[in-house]
């Protein structure tokens, strides 16, 4: 009987330890392309910037064409600009389309149509150890 009790306790301990390790809430899920694009849209169209920095690669570059010039911005430049417009909702219609998908890289087009112009963003994403990150955003205006 003592052996049976010891066996039952051992089985319960194994079950509890396996169940504790299997808790999906303790494992951080990798970011998907969809997560990154939704976060981009939330930041740029709704002013919701919480967590947006986590979607950006440390070396992300933002380029904008203005006339004949191409302006380049860093991660910190963009985050500072977004903080100044936090919680401001843009009056535009947005659409997204996948331009190219490769095993570890994707390009997504995000169009933001305002009353008098359209802002087009080509977003390059690369898969990292923590999931998909935005590595480059190229913006032009029509």
């Amino acid at each position: 009987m003592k052996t049976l009790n010891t066996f039952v306790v051992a089985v319960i301990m194994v079950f509890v330890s396996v169940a504790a390790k299997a808790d999906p809430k303790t494992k951080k899920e990798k970011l998907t392309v969809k997560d990154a694009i939704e976060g981009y849209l939330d930041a740029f169209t709704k002013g919701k910037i919480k967590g947006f920095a986590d979607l950006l690669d440390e070396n992300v570059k933002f380029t904008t064409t203005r006339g004949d010039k191409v302006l380049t911005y860093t991660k910190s430049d963009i985050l500072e600009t977004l903080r100044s417009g936090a919680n401001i909702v843009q009056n535009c219609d947005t659409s997204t389309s996948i331009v190219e998908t490769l095993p570890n890289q994707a390009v997504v087009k995000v169009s933001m149509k305002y009353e008098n112009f359209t802002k087009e963003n080509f977003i390059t994403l690369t898969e990292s150890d923590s999931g998909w990150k935005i590595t480059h955003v190229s913006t032009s205006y029509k």
Side-chain angles (χ1 to χ4, degrees):
M1 187 62 120
K2 188 174 182 181
T3 306
L4 180 62
N5 286 343
T6 305
F7 177 75
V8 170
V9 170
V11 168
I12 290 172
M13 288 175 57
V14 168
F15 177 78
V16 169
S17 66
V18 169
K21 287 182 182 179
D23 184 4
K25 295 177 186 174
T26 61
K27 184 178 179 185
K28 187 174 180 180
E29 291 186 29
K30 287 187 173 188
L31 295 169
T32 65
V33 171
K34 182 180 176 183
D35 295 333
I37 296 302
E38 286 177 355
Y40 180 88
L41 288 171
D42 282 348
F44 280 88
T45 64
K46 299 175 185 170
K48 295 180 180 180
I49 59 172
K50 184 178 179 182
F52 181 63
D54 297 333
L55 304 176
L56 302 175
D57 184 74
E58 287 305 313
N59 299 311
V60 66
K61 295 290 180 210
F62 289 77
T63 56
T64 301
T65 303
R66 295 253 172 100
D68 293 337
K69 293 184 178 184
V70 176
L71 307 173
T72 302
Y73 302 97
T74 64
K75 180 177 182 175
S76 59
D77 294 334
I78 293 301
L79 292 175
E80 183 179 325
T81 300
L82 288 172
R83 280 188 207 102
S84 68
N87 298 314
I88 295 175
V89 177
Q90 297 292 310
N91 186 20
C92 64
D93 293 322
T94 60
S95 63
T96 61
S97 61
I98 296 174
V99 176
E100 184 76 39
T101 303
L102 301 169
N104 59 358
Q105 189 175 15
V107 178
V108 178
K109 179 181 176 182
V110 174
S111 297
M112 300 166 63
K113 183 159 178 50
Y114 294 86
E115 186 175 333
N116 297 318
F117 67 95
T118 300
K119 179 180 176 182
E120 290 189 335
N121 307 281
F122 288 90
I123 303 169
T124 303
L125 303 105
T126 304
E127 190 173 25
S128 69
D129 291 339
S130 59
W132 290 83
K133 298 272 189 167
I134 296 171
T135 56
H136 186 254
V137 178
S138 179
T139 301
S140 63
Y141 296 89
K142 289 185 175 182

